[in-house]
Short mmCIF file of all heavy atoms in Angstrom, two decimals:
data_model
loop_
_atom_site.label_atom_id
_atom_site.label_comp_id
_atom_site.label_asym_id
_atom_site.label_seq_id
_atom_site.Cartn_x
_atom_site.Cartn_y
_atom_site.Cartn_z
N ASP N 77 -14.16 -24.52 8.16
CA ASP N 77 -14.67 -24.28 9.50
C ASP N 77 -13.63 -24.76 10.58
O ASP N 77 -13.40 -24.10 11.57
CB ASP N 77 -15.99 -24.88 9.74
CG ASP N 77 -17.12 -24.20 9.02
OD1 ASP N 77 -16.96 -23.03 8.65
OD2 ASP N 77 -18.21 -24.78 8.88
N ASP N 78 -13.09 -25.95 10.29
CA ASP N 78 -12.13 -26.49 11.26
C ASP N 78 -10.91 -25.60 11.42
O ASP N 78 -10.41 -25.29 12.51
CB ASP N 78 -11.57 -27.85 10.76
CG ASP N 78 -12.60 -28.99 10.79
OD1 ASP N 78 -13.59 -28.82 11.58
OD2 ASP N 78 -12.45 -29.98 10.08
N LEU N 79 -10.36 -25.08 10.27
CA LEU N 79 -9.21 -24.17 10.30
C LEU N 79 -9.48 -22.88 10.97
O LEU N 79 -8.59 -22.31 11.70
CB LEU N 79 -8.65 -24.01 8.86
CG LEU N 79 -8.05 -25.27 8.28
CD1 LEU N 79 -7.91 -25.14 6.79
CD2 LEU N 79 -6.66 -25.54 8.96
N ILE N 80 -10.68 -22.30 10.71
CA ILE N 80 -11.01 -21.05 11.35
C ILE N 80 -11.11 -21.23 12.88
O ILE N 80 -10.56 -20.40 13.62
CB ILE N 80 -12.33 -20.50 10.81
CG1 ILE N 80 -12.13 -20.05 9.33
CG2 ILE N 80 -12.89 -19.28 11.63
CD1 ILE N 80 -13.37 -19.67 8.59
N LYS N 81 -11.67 -22.28 13.28
CA LYS N 81 -11.82 -22.60 14.72
C LYS N 81 -10.48 -22.85 15.38
O LYS N 81 -10.17 -22.50 16.54
CB LYS N 81 -12.81 -23.72 14.95
CG LYS N 81 -14.20 -23.40 14.70
CD LYS N 81 -15.16 -24.65 14.82
CE LYS N 81 -16.57 -24.32 14.46
NZ LYS N 81 -17.41 -25.59 14.43
N ALA N 82 -9.58 -23.51 14.59
CA ALA N 82 -8.29 -23.83 15.11
C ALA N 82 -7.40 -22.64 15.37
O ALA N 82 -6.56 -22.57 16.24
CB ALA N 82 -7.51 -24.78 14.16
N GLU N 83 -7.70 -21.54 14.63
CA GLU N 83 -6.89 -20.28 14.77
C GLU N 83 -7.22 -19.59 16.09
O GLU N 83 -6.36 -18.94 16.75
CB GLU N 83 -7.17 -19.31 13.64
CG GLU N 83 -6.62 -19.76 12.30
CD GLU N 83 -6.85 -18.70 11.29
OE1 GLU N 83 -7.54 -17.69 11.53
OE2 GLU N 83 -6.38 -18.90 10.10
N GLU N 84 -8.46 -19.72 16.55
CA GLU N 84 -8.96 -18.93 17.66
C GLU N 84 -8.07 -18.98 18.93
O GLU N 84 -7.71 -17.89 19.46
CB GLU N 84 -10.38 -19.37 18.00
CG GLU N 84 -11.08 -18.62 19.12
CD GLU N 84 -11.41 -17.19 18.77
OE1 GLU N 84 -11.44 -16.83 17.52
OE2 GLU N 84 -11.61 -16.41 19.64
N PRO N 85 -7.70 -20.19 19.38
CA PRO N 85 -6.91 -20.24 20.66
C PRO N 85 -5.45 -19.93 20.52
O PRO N 85 -4.75 -19.76 21.50
CB PRO N 85 -7.17 -21.61 21.16
CG PRO N 85 -7.35 -22.40 19.93
CD PRO N 85 -8.08 -21.55 18.98
N VAL N 86 -4.90 -19.98 19.26
CA VAL N 86 -3.43 -19.89 19.10
C VAL N 86 -2.96 -18.65 18.35
O VAL N 86 -1.79 -18.41 18.31
CB VAL N 86 -2.92 -21.11 18.38
CG1 VAL N 86 -3.06 -22.39 19.27
CG2 VAL N 86 -3.55 -21.44 17.03
N LEU N 87 -3.87 -17.94 17.70
CA LEU N 87 -3.44 -16.67 17.03
C LEU N 87 -3.91 -15.45 17.75
O LEU N 87 -5.12 -15.43 18.24
CB LEU N 87 -4.06 -16.69 15.58
CG LEU N 87 -3.32 -17.48 14.51
CD1 LEU N 87 -4.06 -17.32 13.14
CD2 LEU N 87 -1.89 -16.98 14.29
N ALA N 88 -3.14 -14.43 17.81
CA ALA N 88 -3.53 -13.12 18.38
C ALA N 88 -4.72 -12.62 17.55
O ALA N 88 -4.76 -12.82 16.35
CB ALA N 88 -2.40 -12.18 18.31
N HIS N 89 -5.64 -12.03 18.20
CA HIS N 89 -6.85 -11.54 17.65
C HIS N 89 -6.78 -10.12 17.12
O HIS N 89 -7.64 -9.28 17.38
CB HIS N 89 -8.02 -11.71 18.62
CG HIS N 89 -8.22 -13.09 19.15
ND1 HIS N 89 -8.93 -13.41 20.26
CD2 HIS N 89 -7.78 -14.30 18.61
CE1 HIS N 89 -8.96 -14.69 20.43
NE2 HIS N 89 -8.27 -15.26 19.47
N ASN N 90 -5.74 -9.86 16.34
CA ASN N 90 -5.52 -8.53 15.77
C ASN N 90 -6.12 -8.37 14.44
O ASN N 90 -6.03 -7.24 13.87
CB ASN N 90 -3.99 -8.16 15.76
CG ASN N 90 -3.24 -9.17 14.87
OD1 ASN N 90 -3.46 -10.35 14.93
ND2 ASN N 90 -2.25 -8.61 14.17
N TYR N 91 -6.77 -9.34 13.95
CA TYR N 91 -7.53 -9.25 12.71
C TYR N 91 -8.86 -9.89 12.81
O TYR N 91 -9.13 -10.77 13.69
CB TYR N 91 -6.76 -9.97 11.49
CG TYR N 91 -5.72 -9.15 10.86
CD1 TYR N 91 -4.38 -9.22 11.31
CD2 TYR N 91 -5.98 -8.23 9.87
CE1 TYR N 91 -3.38 -8.47 10.75
CE2 TYR N 91 -4.96 -7.40 9.32
CZ TYR N 91 -3.66 -7.50 9.75
OH TYR N 91 -2.69 -6.76 9.17
N HIS N 92 -9.83 -9.42 11.99
CA HIS N 92 -11.16 -10.09 11.91
C HIS N 92 -11.42 -10.40 10.46
O HIS N 92 -12.19 -9.73 9.73
CB HIS N 92 -12.19 -9.06 12.44
CG HIS N 92 -13.58 -9.63 12.45
ND1 HIS N 92 -14.71 -8.85 12.52
CD2 HIS N 92 -14.00 -10.93 12.54
CE1 HIS N 92 -15.74 -9.60 12.53
NE2 HIS N 92 -15.39 -10.88 12.57
N PRO N 93 -10.79 -11.48 9.94
CA PRO N 93 -10.89 -11.86 8.53
C PRO N 93 -12.29 -12.24 8.12
O PRO N 93 -13.11 -12.72 8.97
CB PRO N 93 -9.96 -13.03 8.34
CG PRO N 93 -9.17 -13.11 9.60
CD PRO N 93 -9.97 -12.47 10.69
N LEU N 94 -12.57 -12.16 6.85
CA LEU N 94 -13.78 -12.75 6.35
C LEU N 94 -13.67 -14.26 6.44
O LEU N 94 -12.56 -14.80 6.38
CB LEU N 94 -14.02 -12.37 4.87
CG LEU N 94 -14.34 -10.92 4.53
CD1 LEU N 94 -14.39 -10.76 3.00
CD2 LEU N 94 -15.64 -10.53 5.20
N PRO N 95 -14.74 -15.01 6.68
CA PRO N 95 -14.69 -16.45 6.89
C PRO N 95 -14.46 -17.22 5.69
O PRO N 95 -15.30 -18.03 5.24
CB PRO N 95 -16.06 -16.73 7.55
CG PRO N 95 -16.99 -15.65 6.99
CD PRO N 95 -16.12 -14.41 6.84
N VAL N 96 -13.39 -17.01 5.02
CA VAL N 96 -12.97 -17.74 3.81
C VAL N 96 -11.50 -18.19 4.07
O VAL N 96 -10.71 -17.36 4.52
CB VAL N 96 -13.10 -16.92 2.51
CG1 VAL N 96 -12.32 -15.67 2.56
CG2 VAL N 96 -12.71 -17.71 1.30
N VAL N 97 -11.21 -19.51 3.77
CA VAL N 97 -9.87 -19.96 4.00
C VAL N 97 -9.25 -20.29 2.59
O VAL N 97 -9.52 -21.31 1.96
CB VAL N 97 -9.86 -21.27 4.87
CG1 VAL N 97 -8.43 -21.75 5.07
CG2 VAL N 97 -10.52 -21.00 6.18
N VAL N 98 -8.40 -19.48 2.15
CA VAL N 98 -7.76 -19.57 0.79
C VAL N 98 -6.69 -20.63 0.82
O VAL N 98 -5.81 -20.65 1.69
CB VAL N 98 -7.24 -18.21 0.35
CG1 VAL N 98 -6.56 -18.37 -1.05
CG2 VAL N 98 -8.37 -17.21 0.26
N ALA N 99 -6.71 -21.55 -0.15
CA ALA N 99 -5.69 -22.61 -0.21
C ALA N 99 -4.85 -22.54 -1.46
O ALA N 99 -3.76 -23.03 -1.46
CB ALA N 99 -6.46 -23.95 -0.13
N ARG N 100 -5.46 -22.01 -2.51
CA ARG N 100 -4.76 -21.87 -3.85
C ARG N 100 -5.09 -20.62 -4.52
O ARG N 100 -6.22 -20.06 -4.22
CB ARG N 100 -5.09 -23.09 -4.77
CG ARG N 100 -4.54 -24.50 -4.27
CD ARG N 100 -5.22 -25.61 -4.95
NE ARG N 100 -6.61 -25.72 -4.47
CZ ARG N 100 -6.97 -26.35 -3.30
NH1 ARG N 100 -6.00 -26.84 -2.61
NH2 ARG N 100 -8.19 -26.43 -2.94
N ALA N 101 -4.31 -20.16 -5.44
CA ALA N 101 -4.59 -18.94 -6.19
C ALA N 101 -3.86 -18.88 -7.46
O ALA N 101 -2.79 -19.44 -7.60
CB ALA N 101 -4.23 -17.67 -5.32
N GLU N 102 -4.50 -18.24 -8.44
CA GLU N 102 -3.81 -18.01 -9.78
C GLU N 102 -4.48 -16.74 -10.38
O GLU N 102 -5.67 -16.68 -10.49
CB GLU N 102 -4.13 -19.21 -10.67
CG GLU N 102 -3.36 -19.23 -11.97
CD GLU N 102 -1.93 -19.72 -11.82
OE1 GLU N 102 -1.62 -20.45 -10.90
OE2 GLU N 102 -1.05 -19.29 -12.57
#
Side-chain angles (χ1 to χ4, degrees):
D77 286 344
D78 291 339
L79 289 164
I80 290 170
K81 289 174 183 174
E83 289 182 358
E84 182 70 17
V86 292
L87 279 179
H89 300 162
N90 58 322
Y91 278 93
H92 184 203
L94 290 177
V96 58
V97 181
V98 178
R100 289 164 290 278
E102 189 80 27

